[in-house]
Amino acid sequence: MLRLGDFIGDRIGWNRYLKPFMYEKLPSDMGWLTTLGSLCALIFMVEAATGMFLAMYYNPSPELAYESILYIMNDVTMGRMLRGVHHWGAGAMVILVFVHMATNFFTGAFKAPRELTWVVGVVILLITLGFGFTGYLLPWDQKAYWATVVSANIPGDIPVIGDFITRIMLGGDRVSGLTLTRFYAIHMLLLPGLMGLCIVLHIYLVRIHGMAGNPAVKAPGAGKEQAEPRTEATYRFYPEHLSKCAVAFAVVLSVVMLLAFFCHVPLEDMAGTLDESYLPRPEWYYMWLFQLLTFFSGSSEVVGSLVIPAGGILILILMPWLSRTNFRRVSDRPLATAVGTACIIGIVYLTIMGFAGTKPYGKIIPVPDRELNLSEASGLKVFVNRECAYCHNINGRGGRIQGPDLANMVRKKRTRDQLMKYIRDPQSVSRWSIMPKYDLNEKDLISLADFILTLDFKTNRMRIIDREMALEVAGGNQRE
Ligand code: HEC
């Protein structure tokens, strides 16, 4: 028996490679935060396992995708649970990767010699978000479909190659069955492969440079000569660290399973169901970006959709080289700490704002403080009756910010014809527009456009009226 153990140990390199790996001493002075990295890897394995079982029943075609989800939910043994764990596990993974990253940011763990560990970590974050993005379309429900339509819009802002990127992404010029198989292949093959590679690389790098440990314990600038942990008790990868991870993972997994059991994973109507008032909503971890987009419109849209996200990713990647000092303690890095905190507060704020997007709309209407002529007044009436405020503000008031502020139309020098054309068929002007078509008669279109063209608050003062007054203004003028 002993000899068999020796044989295997020798042949698989236990003594030479695996044993030192398992019993490696680690700094233990970060407490439970050190388990975050392992938690990310473990929850990824849960996603891989549940994903594999889901794939056995899932069918990536527009005709059957939605039905196969229903089948998984209603007929497959434990199917509802399977989908639930995959869904909530994905959310947990995004949170864990984000918190792991934030911890390493605030403890300065990304500094030399761990720059590359950090960069691979950023790539892992991006892959995680890629999983979320591609997985979102697979149920092929309304939410999935529209979120993809909206995001496919985004590369369109890039000059010259934007359209090309959209085509590559969608496999054509609109979301179709080709998009679905494409996303499925990426979600099932490309991303898991990349992720596996990155995790191995990340762990390898963590091991060769050692864990960074708590900056408050080690003097700043202390390098490898202090690699030996200061704490008296030995803290090794196995068994001390792994058992700590096991406890933390048991907690995370229980939460995910409880959510899967008690909270229902949303599945809306099948994609393509006709619903004019459907409002696209992204998955919660993209909400802040979605919300950011609504602050920019027209030619500045590219700032929200491209410049800020791409700049943010670039800054994240370059982080280790942006700060030259080797200080790691929070108190020694006031600027980095302040900027990091501000970003997190900003993201949380935008997320809350995004979910609060269900706030009331259309109760008040900002209008120019002057007599409206007949056409303008009846345009106001159409505006109210057709609930344009559901998506549009006027001069920052009265509506929601799904679409651009209509007070910007004069500034953008829109003509009446352009506005009419847009409102009648938005997609004919901007291919990926999410604005519904409005089947209005010529007269209503003209007055609506005329009304929008009065919304020029440089030359007029603004007056706020309520819904009833708006309808009265229109009615009153018509009697003249
Ligand atoms: C479901 C949300 C939604 C509703 C409802 C909606 N819009 Fe829009 N609208 C948008 C969005 C989003 C855009 C920005 C471009 C796009 O479609 O993605 C937009 C763009 C516009 C534009 C900009 C055109 C330009 O040239 O920049 C005008 C004008 C407009 N809408 C008018 C209206 C009017 C008038 C109504 C009511 C009859 C209305 N919208 C209802 C979402 C909506």
Side-chain angles (χ1 to χ4, degrees):
M1 203 53 213
L2 240 175
R3 290 183 54 196
L4 180 66
D6 278 347
F7 173 81
I8 296 178
D10 181 55
R11 293 302 186 275
I12 65 169
W14 169 254
N15 289 328
R16 200 133 51 105
Y17 300 111
L18 295 179
K19 201 167 157 198
F21 180 86
M22 290 299 279
Y23 290 103
E24 167 127 338
K25 285 187 184 153
L26 308 172
S28 68
D29 43 26
M30 294 266 293
W32 290 95
L33 290 177
T34 48
T35 60
L36 279 168
S38 313
L39 286 183
C40 296
L42 288 169
I43 199 84
F44 173 65
M45 288 181 198
V46 171
E47 290 302 284
T50 48
M52 188 197 72
F53 283 109
L54 287 172
M56 291 177 181
Y57 302 101
Y58 177 72
N59 188 320
S61 70
E63 297 78 35
L64 292 174
Y66 185 76
E67 226 168 275
S68 61
I69 301 288
L70 287 180
Y71 179 76
I72 290 172
M73 304 259 282
N74 300 330
D75 298 306
V76 174
T77 319
M78 300 281 287
R80 201 169 275 270
M81 192 73 187
L82 201 61
R83 176 161 183 251
V85 172
H86 197 73
H87 174 87
W88 298 108
M93 180 152 169
V94 172
I95 295 180
L96 288 170
V97 172
F98 186 79
V99 176
H100 180 46
M101 191 150 198
T103 314
N104 288 325
F105 174 78
F106 286 114
T107 57
F110 58 85
K111 299 197 171 192
R114 301 186 182 80
E115 299 98 324
L116 290 184
T117 323
W118 170 266
V119 171
V120 176
V122 176
V123 175
I124 290 181
L125 176 73
L126 296 179
I127 298 177
T128 307
L129 293 177
F131 267 118
F133 177 63
T134 48
Y136 203 64
L137 180 67
L138 303 184
W140 201 249
D141 61 352
Q142 285 282 75
K143 188 165 128 167
Y145 181 84
W146 283 106
T148 309
V149 169
V150 174
S151 6
N153 222 342
I154 292 175
D157 292 336
I158 310 176
V160 190
I161 52 166
D163 266 3
F164 177 71
I165 295 181
T166 302
R167 287 189 69 88
I168 293 281
M169 190 166 123
L170 299 184
D173 48 25
R174 50 185 211 92
V175 177
S176 69
L178 281 175
T179 321
L180 188 56
T181 42
R182 205 161 276 226
F183 276 33
Y184 186 54
I186 294 174
H187 190 82
M188 284 274 297
L189 290 167
L190 182 66
L191 293 180
L194 279 180
M195 186 65 128
L197 213 70
C198 286
I199 291 180
V200 170
L201 191 60
H202 195 68
I203 294 177
Y204 168 76
L205 288 169
V206 167
R207 276 314 181 82
I208 63 173
H209 296 297
M211 276 192 189
N214 190 335
V217 177
K218 276 187 209 166
K224 282 178 207 118
E225 58 283 6
Q226 275 205 345
E228 203 59 23
R230 294 265 203 91
T231 33
E232 305 78 52
T234 20
Y235 185 78
R236 291 161 298 182
F237 179 68
Y238 176 84
E240 287 88 358
H241 183 67
L242 272 192
S243 44
K244 202 174 206 171
C245 291
V247 174
F249 182 60
V251 173
V252 172
L253 192 61
S254 315
V255 173
V256 168
M257 300 214 351
L258 284 175
L259 283 171
F261 194 77
F262 289 110
C263 299
H264 128 110
V265 179
L267 184 66
E268 300 185 346
D269 286 337
M270 190 168 152
T273 313
L274 213 61
D275 180 0
E276 293 271 284
S277 63
Y278 188 80
L279 199 61
R281 277 263 160 270
E283 188 66 329
W284 62 266
Y285 41 84
Y286 280 118
M287 185 56 100
W288 65 278
L289 256 183
F290 200 73
Q291 189 62 22
L292 193 64
L293 273 179
T294 60
F295 291 120
F296 303 93
S297 63
S299 54
S300 67
E301 198 170 90
V302 66
V303 176
S305 60
L306 220 86
V307 177
I308 293 182
I313 292 170
L314 203 66
I315 289 176
L316 270 183
I317 290 179
L318 295 181
M319 190 70 74
W321 295 277
L322 289 179
S323 65
R324 304 265 187 69
T325 63
N326 230 351
F327 296 139
R328 286 187 42 212
R329 263 185 301 179
V330 165
S331 53
D332 293 331
R333 308 163 50 218
L335 183 68
T337 308
V339 172
T341 313
C343 286
I344 291 181
I345 293 177
I347 289 176
V348 171
Y349 171 76
L350 285 175
T351 306
I352 294 173
M353 286 266 294
F355 280 104
T358 39
K359 70 176 192 216
Y361 61 88
K363 291 243 162 66
I364 55 157
I365 303 123
V367 292
D369 191 13
R370 65 164 170 80
E371 196 79 17
L372 297 182
N373 70 28
L374 198 78
S375 176
E376 293 162 355
S378 65
L380 170 61
K381 191 170 156 193
V382 179
F383 177 86
V384 172
N385 285 337
R386 289 305 184 113
E387 310 281 3
C388 305
Y390 187 70
C391 296
H392 293 283
N393 256 334
I394 294 177
N395 210 18
R397 304 287 301 274
R400 302 200 299 186
I401 37 183
Q402 250 0 280
D405 196 313
L406 292 183
N408 289 336
M409 295 303 130
V410 176
R411 202 173 317 142
K412 289 190 199 159
K413 305 213 164 48
R414 294 282 187 267
T415 63
R416 187 209 253 178
D417 286 339
Q418 279 173 338
L419 290 175
M420 287 169 63
K421 183 161 184 251
Y422 199 95
I423 297 165
R424 186 186 290 129
D425 186 0
Q427 288 75 20
S428 73
V429 179
S430 141
R431 197 165 8 115
W432 296 102
S433 177
I434 56 162
M435 177 165 146
K437 293 184 176 54
Y438 282 91
D439 186 17
L440 296 167
N441 63 38
E442 194 72 11
K443 188 179 148 287
D444 281 351
L445 270 176
I446 293 177
S447 14
L448 193 50
D450 281 346
F451 169 66
I452 293 173
L453 291 175
T454 66
L455 302 173
D456 171 11
F457 299 102
K458 282 231 178 69
T459 47
N460 297 297
R461 290 189 41 212
M462 182 167 80
R463 186 159 69 105
I464 303 279
I465 58 175
D466 64 16
R467 237 183 135 83
E468 283 67 42
M469 276 170 77
L471 297 177
E472 231 165 71
V473 169
N477 270 338
Q478 262 154 19
R479 254 181 273 123
E480 284 174 7

